[in-house]
């Protein structure tokens, strides 16, 4: 039994044949030419899938698609995907004209959460919350090894949980969302602000004297060197992320919270700080089950493997 | 088909025979003598149930129990219930010595959420979040007409979501939890604070000149009379509760959020303010499904009906 997982992005469409253990047997990618429009892109996607798997093969059990934006999984539609310039595209239906196999579509952050839980770092767990820290903060909720997506698949917007009423302005219109403190964008902004306030910070050297060269690494790497301003930036980041994670722990009491995104390259340095923060503040009496804090491990393949997991999760 | 729903409280144990439509056919209650200890209380509970239903009747499909505190539903145990003075009590097992019928135990806030969703105001919905505003703030999460309880049933602590990092001190140890702003306790505290700052407020007259006579109604009733300090208290309450509700909307995107607790007596006056607050700030693009805001309607019977719903929910 295998299926094809497809990771649709604004730059490229990656597809892979994935077995029931989450191994990628072969993969291929094509560029996403956004201006071609959905019909042409979906036709190319169909060809790509047909190059990888034979729809006549009974072992080929389905196609999972991970797509950015607002998806309706039950309907198989992409309601809105800004970086593809798609609005109300019946993706599953259009793709089914090329390949007659079951097709499941979900949001890319959800897909990553499912992939990591079924086949990645969370594979020994069945109830997890994944928080992806990127340009924004996305998330996915896995309950009993299945995605929980909410009404019309519009839940799981974990980055848009206000943790500080009247706090930092968020792109969603509200103030104080987790995303406004814990996205890579917010971390870079905080780092730049700290540098402006401390001209002697080691962060200036690390960023080659330029605010434009600040990345999500700058504060973390300089905090390891003992730079006080960098330490403050990291501590603030850990505090807000820790508060967000404790919220999800109290709401879901998952077995594990999985962190994704570039910041995870900080590995144990970040995770240990988060564990210290959360252990001290976790809710409840002594017998309360604690949650693990893990970093995603599927890397660039998460999209393909997670998309395939959509099919395996439905076949359980 | 019917079952017995049992609402275990610190003052009394209420039990009722409930049919598959959520109607209470008969009910009875006994006082809870906490000092008797769990064995005697559970024996009395067994007798109470046997007076209401005959275990030989095949239509009697099970017993649902709602209990305050930290419950482990899968194990059928009460891990910690402070107002019963129970620690690690194997409730289901002990009760099964008296009656050989399926027994399901859950936390009282969870039970209320399930009852309201299956048989109360939320009966046309299958995905809801209920927030109970009492001395504390409790909650329940209903997914596909079933309770979501989290690992060892320790999720659903919706009152302990921080919405204001470094904000008001909460009983749980963290600062800024929803409970610290939106419990009846917090509302009363805010009302008293506003009264101290405004000696000419109508709230003084409403509370008969005494801070001790302030209730959850004081600010609401005086805001209706145009009292400015009262209006500010209500606006703040609506703002923090609205932010909490928007968080749950973004996380779960439920079909409805149900509010429970005494404050719901404010009915449309409260709900309309919350709707105005949330509609303006709800996440996403124009096609995003919106959530209803409802008030609980099962009243004092919620515990019995909700406990019975635990059995019906498992029998679906």
């Amino acid at each position: 039994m295998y299926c094809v997982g497809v990771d649709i992005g604004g730059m490229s469409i990656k597809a892979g044949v994935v077995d029931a253990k989450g191994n990628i047997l072969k993969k291929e990618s094509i560029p996403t030419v956004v201006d071609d429009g959905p019909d042409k892109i979906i036709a190319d996607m169909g060809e790509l899938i047909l190059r990888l798997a034979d729809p006549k093969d009974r072992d080929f059990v389905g196609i999972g698609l991970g797509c950015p934006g607002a998806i309706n999984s039950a309907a198989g539609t992409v309601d809105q995907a800004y970086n593809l310039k798609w609005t109300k595209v019946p993706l599953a239906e259009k793709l089914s004209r090329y390949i007659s196999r079951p097709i499941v579509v979900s949001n890319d952050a959800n897909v990553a959460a499912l992939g990591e839980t079924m086949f990645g770092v969370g594979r020994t767990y069945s109830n997890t919350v994944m928080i992806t820290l990127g340009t924004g903060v996305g998330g996915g909720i896995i309950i009993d090894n299945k995605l929980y997506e909410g009404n019309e698949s519009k839940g799981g917007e974990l980055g848009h949980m206000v943790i500080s009423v009247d706090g930092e302005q968020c792109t969603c219109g509200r103030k104080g969302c987790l995303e406004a403190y814990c996205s890579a964008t917010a971390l870079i902004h905080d780092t730049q602000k700290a540098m402006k306030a401390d001209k002697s910070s080691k962060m200036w050297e690390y960023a080659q004297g330029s605010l434009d060269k600040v990345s999500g690494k700058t504060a973390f790497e300089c905090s390891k060197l003992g730079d006080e301003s960098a330490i403050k930036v990291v501590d603030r980041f850990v505090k807000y992320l820790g508060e967000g994670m404790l919220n999800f722990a109290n709401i879901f009491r998952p077995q594990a919270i999985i962190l994704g995104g570039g910041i995870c390259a900080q590995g144990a340095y970040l995770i240990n700080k988060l564990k210290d923060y959360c252990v001290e503040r976790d809710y409840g009496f002594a017998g309360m089950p604690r949650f693990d804090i893990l970093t995603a491990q599927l890397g660039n393949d998460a999209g393909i493997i997670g998309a395939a997991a959509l099919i395996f999760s439905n076949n359980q």
Side-chain angles (χ1 to χ4, degrees), chain A residues 271-290:
Chain A
I271 296 303
N272 288 338
K273 284 179 186 293
L274 284 167
K275 282 186 178 169
D276 288 346
Y277 191 89
C278 290
V279 161
E280 274 180 33
R281 293 163 180 85
D282 199 7
Y283 181 78
F285 67 109
M288 182 67 93
R290 303 301 163 189

Side-chain angles (χ1 to χ4, degrees), chain A residues 101-283:
Chain A
R101 294 278 80 190
I103 298 172
V104 180
V105 192
S106 188
N107 166 274
D108 51 0
N110 283 344
V111 155
L114 185 64
E116 288 291 349
T117 303
M118 286 188 69
F119 300 121
V121 70
R123 63 189 170 277
T124 60
Y125 302 112
S126 51
N127 288 281
T128 65
V129 169
M130 180 161 167
I131 309 172
T132 303
L133 309 164
T135 312
V137 172
I141 301 156
I142 308 298
I143 296 175
D144 293 337
N145 270 322
K146 288 184 191 294
L147 263 173
Y148 175 72
E149 299 189 301
N151 198 8
E152 295 182 22
S153 323
K154 300 302 184 302
E157 289 294 349
L158 304 186
H160 299 289
M161 169 178 68
V162 163
I163 53 172
S164 189
V165 169
D166 295 330
E168 300 284 339
Q169 182 65 51
C170 183
T171 54
C172 77
R174 289 169 80 201
K175 285 181 178 175
C177 288
L178 183 62
E179 176 166 307
Y181 297 92
C182 300
S183 60
T185 317
L187 175 60
I188 289 168
H189 180 80
D190 284 350
T191 304
Q192 290 167 332
K193 201 170 149 191
M195 286 166 66
K196 285 180 199 163
D198 177 7
K199 296 289 182 192
S200 68
S201 164
K202 289 196 175 79
M203 294 190 283
W204 282 105
E205 194 188 328
Y206 190 86
Q208 298 166 51
S210 165
L211 289 174
D212 293 340
K213 291 190 176 162
V214 169
S215 75
K217 282 185 185 175
T218 312
F220 273 93
E221 295 307 323
C222 296
S223 78
K224 292 173 191 169
L225 303 173
D227 183 77
E228 282 194 21
S229 292
I231 289 170
K232 280 183 193 162
V233 171
V234 168
D235 284 350
R236 177 178 146 102
F237 181 83
V238 166
K239 173 179 179 165
Y240 280 85
L241 182 54
E243 290 293 340
M245 291 168 66
L246 288 166
N247 281 358
F248 295 128
N250 289 347
I251 294 168
F252 291 102
R253 194 50 53 180
Q255 296 160 308
I257 295 180
I258 303 171
L259 298 177
I263 203 83
C264 292
Q266 294 299 329
Y269 185 74
L270 171 63
I271 296 303
N272 288 338
K273 284 179 186 293
L274 284 167
K275 282 186 178 169
D276 288 346
Y277 191 89
C278 290
V279 161
E280 274 180 33
R281 293 163 180 85
D282 199 7
Y283 181 78

